[in-house]
């Protein structure tokens, strides 16, 4: 049985009718009780759905679209995600991009509140949004169209790494839309509305779908397991803390202040050969135990790893080339906020019967500055990490995620307004 670990970011603050700022400022448990629609300083909040939830039904829960930051990042992680990357049509200029962002922001504000989009032909599908969030971002191509000199220096493809086997069909994009919820019906509807309203401006480049445990399967706050069977997400900054602010949100006085960056890597996992590795080998590769996710030098998931500890045979208890040692800020000097989702496409019918999986991780990382935070960690892992034996990055994209907007405004207004 999977042990209960109420420390992760995934479902910690799920609660009926709670607002996003409630989660941030009230903390996980306290946020649940925050009154619907309360607007905190500088952050207008949409009214949360007041429907009763006495049966444990989750669908009526809303997450405010408007706010200082976009929703879907410092909000408790939902069970499902759909990433949509789009390329702008050749003729779309700054004015076109502005119109698109106005349209999309309006759609997202309505749908995340559980109300139909304008001219919604399937309005009932918007009901019960189950914590739906829609997050928008700009790739390098969108900044070209915005014809701006105010371009984050890190907004470009990541450097090439020897471990990469990148495929065009999972990489790049002018725009990203991240649709997430605890229920795939409102997600399917929101995805369709976004694509429908966007089709005059942009075409779908790729779509990637990911999942975690379904809402209610595990106690709130349980850290997710990836499909390697590892507890994944423990060392993340906690939502609503100053630590999170420092790691994730861009500062300054330009259009990105209050925004962040998203690095999305599609990482295939070689589960067939991982199957052949015993527990000792698995734990040595990551530096944590399989059962609880505790560091090999500790007993509880949240124990700090002791990288100095030496085992009975004179070797470090946590291997020099284990994933957590190589990724730890003690060695890289950098931190990121990870929000991974599993993907599983299944084997190709008719192909080699010995391969029964096509699976991996949609590895999403948010940080204020890609070059200063993500790249040093990725470089360290690309040079040496036992997990590289079983992982292959096959997709990669970098996006600027603008700050949130107030009611009546649109995402990206600081850049395009
Ligand atoms: C399929 C690929 C990957 C898998 C399965 C994986 C899995 C894990 C696991 C199980 C942990 C330990 C628990 C935790 O703190 O979350 C971890 C930690 C971590 N991973 Fe990964 N990871 C992958 C790729 C990456 C990549 C691409 C990066 C960044 C470039 C990264 C950065 C980190 C960091 C920063 C930590 C925390 C280290 C610490 O401070 O203890 N991981 N990862």
């Amino acid at each position: 049985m999977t042990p209960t670990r109420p420390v992760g970011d995934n479902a910690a603050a799920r609660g009926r009718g709670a607002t996003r700022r409630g989660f941030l400022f009230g903390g996980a448990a306290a946020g649940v009780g925050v009154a619907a629609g309360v607007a905190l300083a500088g952050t207008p909040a949409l009214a949360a759905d007041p429907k009763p939830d006495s049966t444990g039904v989750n669908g009526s829960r809303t997450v405010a679209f408007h706010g200082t930051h976009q929703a879907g990042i410092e909000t408790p992680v939902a069970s499902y995600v759909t990433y949509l990357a789009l390329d702008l049509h050749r003729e779309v200029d700054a004015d076109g991009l502005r119109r698109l962002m106005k349209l999309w922001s309006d759609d997202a504000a309505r749908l995340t509140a559980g109300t139909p989009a304008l001219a919604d032909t399937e309005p009932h599908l918007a009901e019960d949004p189950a914590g739906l969030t829609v997050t928008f971002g700009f790739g390098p191509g969108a900044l070209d169209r915005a014809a701006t000199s105010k371009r984050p220096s890190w907004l470009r493809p990541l450097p090439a790494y020897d471990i990469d086997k990148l495929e065009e069909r999972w990489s790049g994009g002018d725009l990203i839309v991240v649709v997430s919820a605890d229920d795939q019906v409102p997600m399917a509807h929101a995805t369709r509305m976004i694509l429908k309203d966007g089709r005059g401006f942009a075409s779908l480049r790729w779509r990637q779908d990911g999942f975690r445990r379904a809402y209610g399967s595990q106690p709130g706050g349980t850290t997710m397991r990836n499909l390697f069977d590892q507890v994944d997400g423990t060392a993340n900054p906690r939502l609503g803390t100053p630590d999170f602010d420092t790691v994730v949100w861009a500062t300054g006085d330009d259009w990105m202040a209050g925004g962040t960056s998203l690095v999305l890597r599609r990482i295939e996992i070689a589960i067939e050969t991982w199957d052949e590795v015993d527990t000792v080998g698995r734990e040595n590769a990551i530096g944590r135990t399989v059962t609880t996710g505790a560091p090999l030098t500790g007993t509880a998931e949240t124990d700090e790893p002791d990288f100095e500890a030496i085992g009975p045979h004179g070797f470090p208890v946590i291997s020099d080339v284990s994933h957590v040692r190589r990724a730890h800020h003690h060695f890289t000097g950098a931190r990121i906020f990870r929000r991974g989702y599993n993907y599983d496409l299944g084997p190709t019918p008719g192909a080699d019967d010995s391969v029964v999986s096509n699976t991996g991780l949609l590895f999403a990382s948010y940080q204020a500055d890609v070059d200063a935070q993500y790249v040093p960690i990725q470089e360290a892992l690309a040079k040496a990490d036992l997990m590289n034996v079983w992982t292959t990055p096959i997709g990669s994209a970098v996006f600027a995620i603008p700050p949130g907007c107030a009611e009546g405004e649109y995402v990206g207004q600081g850049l395009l307004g």
Side-chain angles (χ1 to χ4, degrees), residues 145-162:
R145 306 303 175 90
T148 177
S149 55
K150 298 179 279 180
R151 193 188 183 100
S153 53
W154 44 256
L155 187 57
R156 57 175 187 279
L158 292 180
Y161 300 103
D162 288 345

Side-chain angles (χ1 to χ4, degrees), residues 223 226 228 230-236 265 267-269 286 288 293 305 307 323-325 327-329 334-336 338 360-361 363 365 374 377-379 381 385 387 390-392:
T223 312
N226 62 38
F228 278 132
Q230 298 164 329
V231 178
D232 192 344
T234 306
N236 260 335
R265 306 271 283 172
I267 304 180
E268 195 172 73
I269 67 177
I286 198 75
R288 288 178 173 271
F307 294 111
H323 184 74
V324 293
R325 182 188 284 265
H328 197 269
H329 59 91
R335 298 186 64 209
I336 53 178
R338 294 166 289 135
L361 196 65
F363 179 89
S365 169
Y374 186 87
I377 300 173
Q378 182 63 86
E379 258 171 28
L381 294 178
D385 171 10
M387 289 305 296
W390 301 278
T391 57
T392 308

Side-chain angles (χ1 to χ4, degrees), residues 287-362:
R288 288 178 173 271
T289 68
V290 172
T291 315
T292 64
L296 294 180
T297 52
T299 50
E301 184 193 342
T302 48
D303 287 349
E304 270 299 311
D306 176 1
F307 294 111
E308 307 296 322
I310 300 294
H313 305 296
F315 296 107
V317 177
I318 299 179
S319 160
D320 283 342
V321 280
S322 64
H323 184 74
V324 293
R325 182 188 284 265
R326 297 291 298 170
H328 197 269
H329 59 91
H330 193 73
F331 302 99
T332 61
R335 298 186 64 209
I336 53 178
F337 174 63
R338 294 166 289 135
R339 226 177 197 211
Y341 279 89
N342 301 308
Y343 76 82
D344 185 23
L345 301 183
T348 311
D352 179 1
D353 278 352
S354 66
V355 179
V356 292
S357 53
N358 174 354
T359 195
L361 196 65
L362 301 183

Side-chain angles (χ1 to χ4, degrees), residues 83-154:
Y83 293 97
L84 305 166
L86 298 99
D87 286 335
L88 287 160
H89 295 164
R90 202 172 309 136
E91 69 282 2
V92 174
D93 58 7
D95 187 49
L97 185 55
R98 185 179 309 119
R99 280 187 287 131
L100 173 63
M101 295 313 296
K102 279 185 182 171
L103 203 57
W104 274 357
S105 299
D106 184 69
D107 284 346
R110 290 171 195 272
L111 292 168
T112 55
T115 54
L118 280 182
D120 198 328
T121 42
E122 289 80 27
H124 302 292
L125 298 181
E127 291 167 6
D128 300 323
L132 179 73
T133 57
V134 181
T135 316
F136 300 105
F138 299 141
L143 271 282
D144 293 343
R145 306 303 175 90
T148 177
S149 55
K150 298 179 279 180
R151 193 188 183 100
S153 53
W154 44 256

